[in-house]
Amino acid sequence: MQPSTTRKPPRWLDGADGPRTITVYAATAPRLQSLRRQLPLRVSVVPTTSLELFSLATPAADCAVVSGPSPSVRAFAEAVSALRDASRELPIVIVPTDDATEPDAAETGDASAARWCRVLPLAWNCSDDTLLWAAIQGSATLAALRVFDASLRAATHLRPPLRDALLLASGGLEPVVSVGELAAALQTRRRVLWRGWRSTEALAGVRLDDVIDWLLVLRAGVAHARGVSWTGVAETLGVDRHTLARAHRRLVGLPLADATFDS
């Protein structure tokens, strides 16, 4: 039986604080229990040591966690194929393990992680079990950004200046911290972008400036989930830490000091 790879937008984009349903695969029951203990009780977890069940359940989940030998092991082929098909939108976290379930799978955790990341380039590599929930949150945030970017590319009704600006803000290599920066990068004026945004009537009461701040906060969250301090995050994004803190408090409702990934 082949699992369906048709996915709806992640349910947790409606305002929940992370993926609601997570499939977790590990080669052994003790390893599975160890990973489960790192996840909040509020999360619905589908833990399994069965590759068949994992392959069937993952396309309907909000996130997948994989801990096992290298995907070069023949038994992983079907599971890896299902993940690859869904990986553009599905948050996937790889937790390397030195444990080998078959003689030809013996390799270090680093080597296993590198091989997994080649097969699933959009996956998040989590080298420490205690950081699993942070890795899931970070991977989920990246997936949300990919969903937003894909939606923009499909939004042909948006006029080029505004659409180009939003694409640059969401997927550009360099973070954009203001509408003014966007306008300068596109060699246009801020009022052109503001006027284009108002004409869409997409989200009543939401300013273009708020969207830019949200994208900045999301990028900051991804960097922080990778272990970068908030000060370091602000420096990387090219924004003052206090500016980032104000945007975070206004949009998320929490000061940076309280924005952790604890369960």
Side-chain angles (χ1 to χ4, degrees):
M1 179 177 180
Q2 294 295 322
S4 170
T5 56
T6 301
R7 294 185 54 78
K8 298 178 181 179
R11 291 172 295 167
W12 43 268
L13 287 181
D14 62 6
D17 60 348
R20 298 176 181 177
T21 303
I22 301 174
T23 52
V24 181
Y25 171 82
T28 65
R31 181 71 178 134
L32 201 61
Q33 294 171 3
S34 175
L35 294 173
R36 178 64 183 91
R37 286 195 294 268
Q38 304 301 325
L39 302 178
L41 294 176
R42 65 180 179 272
V43 174
S44 176
V45 178
V46 182
T48 181
T49 58
S50 164
L51 285 172
E52 181 179 6
L53 177 58
F54 181 73
S55 297
L56 291 173
T58 291
D62 298 316
C63 181
V65 175
V66 180
S67 180
S70 162
S72 63
V73 178
R74 182 175 301 176
F76 271 70
E78 184 177 350
V80 172
S81 177
L83 285 172
R84 186 190 296 114
D85 290 341
S87 64
R88 288 300 307 181
E89 297 178 4
L90 180 70
I92 302 172
V93 176
I94 305 300
V95 187
T97 176
D98 293 333
D99 297 332
T101 58
E102 297 185 21
D104 63 347
E107 61 183 349
T108 66
D110 288 344
S112 176
R115 193 182 294 272
W116 270 111
C117 289
R118 284 196 295 272
V119 175
L120 298 170
L122 297 177
W124 186 293
N125 179 30
C126 177
S127 59
D128 187 337
D129 286 8
T130 62
L131 300 177
L132 179 57
W133 184 236
I136 288 173
Q137 294 267 21
S139 180
T141 302
L142 280 177
L145 288 169
R146 289 196 296 270
V147 170
F148 181 71
D149 187 77
S151 298
L152 287 175
R153 294 184 185 280
T156 55
H157 63 284
L158 293 178
R159 294 186 177 182
L162 178 62
R163 184 165 171 266
D164 293 345
L166 292 172
L167 283 170
L168 180 60
S170 68
L173 296 178
E174 296 296 328
V176 177
V177 301
S178 69
V179 177
E181 280 194 12
L182 274 180
L186 295 172
Q187 298 183 336
T188 187
R189 297 184 178 183
R190 289 180 296 176
R191 65 170 176 265
V192 173
L193 299 180
W194 281 325
R195 185 168 58 245
W197 176 258
R198 287 193 296 269
S199 69
T200 65
E201 299 180 351
L203 294 171
V206 178
R207 303 178 306 153
L208 178 58
D209 304 70
D210 294 330
V211 175
I212 303 305
D213 284 348
W214 254 122
L215 292 172
L216 188 68
V217 167
L218 289 174
R219 286 193 178 212
V222 170
H224 189 57
R226 295 190 187 279
V228 182
S229 69
W230 285 119
T231 299
V233 168
E235 291 176 353
T236 300
L237 295 177
V239 63
D240 183 78
R241 188 182 188 280
H242 297 294
T243 300
L244 178 61
R246 284 194 297 271
H248 194 280
R249 180 186 286 274
R250 179 168 58 86
L251 297 171
V252 181
L254 288 173
L256 289 181
D258 295 337
T260 69
F261 295 98
D262 296 337
S263 59

